[in-house]
PDB file of all heavy atoms in Angstrom:
ATOM      1  N   PRO A 284      76.836  -5.864 -40.775  1.00  0.00           N
ATOM      2  CA  PRO A 284      77.190  -6.649 -41.969  1.00  0.00           C
ATOM      3  C   PRO A 284      76.037  -6.910 -42.922  1.00  0.00           C
ATOM      4  O   PRO A 284      76.253  -7.004 -44.136  1.00  0.00           O
ATOM      5  CB  PRO A 284      77.721  -7.957 -41.373  1.00  0.00           C
ATOM      6  CG  PRO A 284      77.111  -8.059 -40.017  1.00  0.00           C
ATOM      7  CD  PRO A 284      76.991  -6.644 -39.535  1.00  0.00           C
ATOM      8  N   PRO A 299      63.081 -16.231 -61.583  1.00  0.00           N
ATOM      9  CA  PRO A 299      61.667 -16.400 -61.979  1.00  0.00           C
ATOM     10  C   PRO A 299      60.792 -17.019 -60.893  1.00  0.00           C
ATOM     11  O   PRO A 299      59.595 -16.727 -60.823  1.00  0.00           O
ATOM     12  CB  PRO A 299      61.754 -17.314 -63.207  1.00  0.00           C
ATOM     13  CG  PRO A 299      63.127 -17.116 -63.744  1.00  0.00           C
ATOM     14  CD  PRO A 299      64.003 -16.821 -62.568  1.00  0.00           C
ATOM     15  N   PRO A 332      56.378  -4.721 -14.934  1.00  0.00           N
ATOM     16  CA  PRO A 332      57.004  -5.986 -14.530  1.00  0.00           C
ATOM     17  C   PRO A 332      58.228  -5.683 -13.665  1.00  0.00           C
ATOM     18  O   PRO A 332      58.686  -4.537 -13.597  1.00  0.00           O
ATOM     19  CB  PRO A 332      57.410  -6.624 -15.851  1.00  0.00           C
ATOM     20  CG  PRO A 332      57.661  -5.464 -16.760  1.00  0.00           C
ATOM     21  CD  PRO A 332      56.684  -4.382 -16.340  1.00  0.00           C
ATOM     22  N   MET A 348      66.565 -26.327 -17.431  1.00  0.00           N
ATOM     23  CA  MET A 348      67.990 -26.661 -17.417  1.00  0.00           C
ATOM     24  C   MET A 348      68.237 -28.018 -16.781  1.00  0.00           C
ATOM     25  O   MET A 348      69.068 -28.803 -17.257  1.00  0.00           O
ATOM     26  CB  MET A 348      68.779 -25.576 -16.680  1.00  0.00           C
ATOM     27  CG  MET A 348      68.990 -24.301 -17.478  1.00  0.00           C
ATOM     28  SD  MET A 348      70.149 -23.155 -16.676  1.00  0.00           S
ATOM     29  CE  MET A 348      69.118 -22.545 -15.346  1.00  0.00           C
ATOM     30  N   LEU A 379      77.321  -3.117 -18.739  1.00  0.00           N
ATOM     31  CA  LEU A 379      76.623  -3.307 -17.468  1.00  0.00           C
ATOM     32  C   LEU A 379      77.566  -3.712 -16.345  1.00  0.00           C
ATOM     33  O   LEU A 379      77.329  -3.403 -15.169  1.00  0.00           O
ATOM     34  CB  LEU A 379      75.527  -4.356 -17.620  1.00  0.00           C
ATOM     35  CG  LEU A 379      74.367  -4.008 -18.556  1.00  0.00           C
ATOM     36  CD1 LEU A 379      73.425  -5.193 -18.691  1.00  0.00           C
ATOM     37  CD2 LEU A 379      73.604  -2.788 -18.052  1.00  0.00           C
ATOM     38  N   PRO A 439      83.438 -29.906 -27.217  1.00  0.00           N
ATOM     39  CA  PRO A 439      83.393 -31.070 -26.329  1.00  0.00           C
ATOM     40  C   PRO A 439      83.485 -30.669 -24.858  1.00  0.00           C
ATOM     41  O   PRO A 439      84.043 -29.617 -24.517  1.00  0.00           O
ATOM     42  CB  PRO A 439      84.628 -31.890 -26.748  1.00  0.00           C
ATOM     43  CG  PRO A 439      85.003 -31.386 -28.098  1.00  0.00           C
ATOM     44  CD  PRO A 439      84.596 -29.941 -28.125  1.00  0.00           C
ATOM     45  N   VAL A 455      88.623 -14.694 -14.675  1.00  0.00           N
ATOM     46  CA  VAL A 455      87.931 -14.249 -15.885  1.00  0.00           C
ATOM     47  C   VAL A 455      86.477 -14.696 -15.800  1.00  0.00           C
ATOM     48  O   VAL A 455      86.182 -15.804 -15.333  1.00  0.00           O
ATOM     49  CB  VAL A 455      88.587 -14.849 -17.148  1.00  0.00           C
ATOM     50  CG1 VAL A 455      87.809 -14.467 -18.407  1.00  0.00           C
ATOM     51  CG2 VAL A 455      90.043 -14.405 -17.257  1.00  0.00           C
ATOM     52  N   ARG A 471      75.844 -34.245 -28.815  1.00  0.00           N
ATOM     53  CA  ARG A 471      74.963 -33.569 -27.881  1.00  0.00           C
ATOM     54  C   ARG A 471      75.694 -32.384 -27.255  1.00  0.00           C
ATOM     55  O   ARG A 471      76.743 -32.559 -26.630  1.00  0.00           O
ATOM     56  CB  ARG A 471      74.499 -34.512 -26.775  1.00  0.00           C
ATOM     57  CG  ARG A 471      73.510 -33.857 -25.809  1.00  0.00           C
ATOM     58  CD  ARG A 471      73.143 -34.776 -24.661  1.00  0.00           C
ATOM     59  NE  ARG A 471      72.196 -34.120 -23.768  1.00  0.00           N
ATOM     60  CZ  ARG A 471      71.816 -34.606 -22.593  1.00  0.00           C
ATOM     61  NH1 ARG A 471      72.313 -35.765 -22.177  1.00  0.00           N
ATOM     62  NH2 ARG A 471      70.963 -33.947 -21.844  1.00  0.00           N
ATOM     63  N   GLY A 482      82.147 -28.770 -12.252  1.00  0.00           N
ATOM     64  CA  GLY A 482      82.430 -29.360 -10.952  1.00  0.00           C
ATOM     65  C   GLY A 482      81.410 -29.038  -9.882  1.00  0.00           C
ATOM     66  O   GLY A 482      81.703 -29.143  -8.688  1.00  0.00           O
ATOM     67  N   HIS A 492      70.738 -18.367 -22.444  1.00  0.00           N
ATOM     68  CA  HIS A 492      69.776 -19.206 -23.154  1.00  0.00           C
ATOM     69  C   HIS A 492      68.629 -18.372 -23.706  1.00  0.00           C
ATOM     70  O   HIS A 492      68.252 -17.349 -23.132  1.00  0.00           O
ATOM     71  CB  HIS A 492      69.231 -20.292 -22.232  1.00  0.00           C
ATOM     72  CG  HIS A 492      70.245 -21.325 -21.877  1.00  0.00           C
ATOM     73  ND1 HIS A 492      70.633 -22.300 -22.757  1.00  0.00           N
ATOM     74  CD2 HIS A 492      70.976 -21.508 -20.746  1.00  0.00           C
ATOM     75  CE1 HIS A 492      71.551 -23.061 -22.180  1.00  0.00           C
ATOM     76  NE2 HIS A 492      71.780 -22.603 -20.961  1.00  0.00           N
ATOM     77  N   SER A 493      68.057 -18.885 -24.800  1.00  0.00           N
ATOM     78  CA  SER A 493      67.031 -18.137 -25.520  1.00  0.00           C
ATOM     79  C   SER A 493      65.936 -19.074 -25.988  1.00  0.00           C
ATOM     80  O   SER A 493      66.171 -20.253 -26.247  1.00  0.00           O
ATOM     81  CB  SER A 493      67.669 -17.448 -26.732  1.00  0.00           C
ATOM     82  OG  SER A 493      66.696 -16.931 -27.608  1.00  0.00           O
ATOM     83  N   SER A 498      61.874 -22.377 -29.664  1.00  0.00           N
ATOM     84  CA  SER A 498      60.417 -22.255 -29.629  1.00  0.00           C
ATOM     85  C   SER A 498      59.862 -21.310 -30.690  1.00  0.00           C
ATOM     86  O   SER A 498      58.698 -20.931 -30.620  1.00  0.00           O
ATOM     87  CB  SER A 498      59.972 -21.782 -28.244  1.00  0.00           C
ATOM     88  OG  SER A 498      60.375 -22.666 -27.228  1.00  0.00           O
ATOM     89  N   ASP A 587      85.888 -23.194 -55.950  1.00  0.00           N
ATOM     90  CA  ASP A 587      86.076 -22.170 -56.976  1.00  0.00           C
ATOM     91  C   ASP A 587      85.883 -20.749 -56.480  1.00  0.00           C
ATOM     92  O   ASP A 587      86.099 -19.803 -57.245  1.00  0.00           O
ATOM     93  CB  ASP A 587      85.100 -22.411 -58.135  1.00  0.00           C
ATOM     94  CG  ASP A 587      85.377 -23.700 -58.879  1.00  0.00           C
ATOM     95  OD1 ASP A 587      86.503 -24.218 -58.756  1.00  0.00           O
ATOM     96  OD2 ASP A 587      84.461 -24.201 -59.563  1.00  0.00           O
ATOM     97  N   ARG A 600      71.408 -18.147 -58.641  1.00  0.00           N
ATOM     98  CA  ARG A 600      70.356 -19.168 -58.630  1.00  0.00           C
ATOM     99  C   ARG A 600      69.166 -18.752 -57.766  1.00  0.00           C
ATOM    100  O   ARG A 600      68.289 -19.571 -57.476  1.00  0.00           O
ATOM    101  CB  ARG A 600      70.923 -20.495 -58.128  1.00  0.00           C
ATOM    102  CG  ARG A 600      71.994 -21.084 -59.019  1.00  0.00           C
ATOM    103  CD  ARG A 600      72.638 -22.310 -58.378  1.00  0.00           C
ATOM    104  NE  ARG A 600      73.666 -22.879 -59.257  1.00  0.00           N
ATOM    105  CZ  ARG A 600      73.491 -23.949 -60.015  1.00  0.00           C
ATOM    106  NH1 ARG A 600      72.313 -24.555 -60.041  1.00  0.00           N
ATOM    107  NH2 ARG A 600      74.463 -24.407 -60.767  1.00  0.00           N
ATOM    108  N   ARG A 628      60.392 -23.251 -49.636  1.00  0.00           N
ATOM    109  CA  ARG A 628      61.548 -22.499 -50.117  1.00  0.00           C
ATOM    110  C   ARG A 628      62.823 -23.340 -50.089  1.00  0.00           C
ATOM    111  O   ARG A 628      63.675 -23.225 -50.975  1.00  0.00           O
ATOM    112  CB  ARG A 628      61.741 -21.230 -49.284  1.00  0.00           C
ATOM    113  CG  ARG A 628      60.725 -20.130 -49.529  1.00  0.00           C
ATOM    114  CD  ARG A 628      60.898 -19.437 -50.896  1.00  0.00           C
ATOM    115  NE  ARG A 628      60.251 -20.190 -51.986  1.00  0.00           N
ATOM    116  CZ  ARG A 628      60.395 -19.891 -53.273  1.00  0.00           C
ATOM    117  NH1 ARG A 628      61.170 -18.878 -53.641  1.00  0.00           N
ATOM    118  NH2 ARG A 628      59.773 -20.581 -54.205  1.00  0.00           N
ATOM    119  N   VAL A 633      66.828 -26.576 -53.211  1.00  0.00           N
ATOM    120  CA  VAL A 633      67.368 -27.877 -53.592  1.00  0.00           C
ATOM    121  C   VAL A 633      67.213 -28.109 -55.089  1.00  0.00           C
ATOM    122  O   VAL A 633      68.149 -28.551 -55.774  1.00  0.00           O
ATOM    123  CB  VAL A 633      66.659 -28.987 -52.788  1.00  0.00           C
ATOM    124  CG1 VAL A 633      66.972 -30.372 -53.374  1.00  0.00           C
ATOM    125  CG2 VAL A 633      67.037 -28.916 -51.319  1.00  0.00           C
TER     126      VAL A 633
END
Side-chain angles (χ1 to χ4, degrees):
M348 284 189 286
L379 295 175
V455 176
R471 183 184 180 189
H492 291 284
S493 168
S498 301
D587 295 341
R600 296 173 179 259
R628 287 289 83 188
V633 167

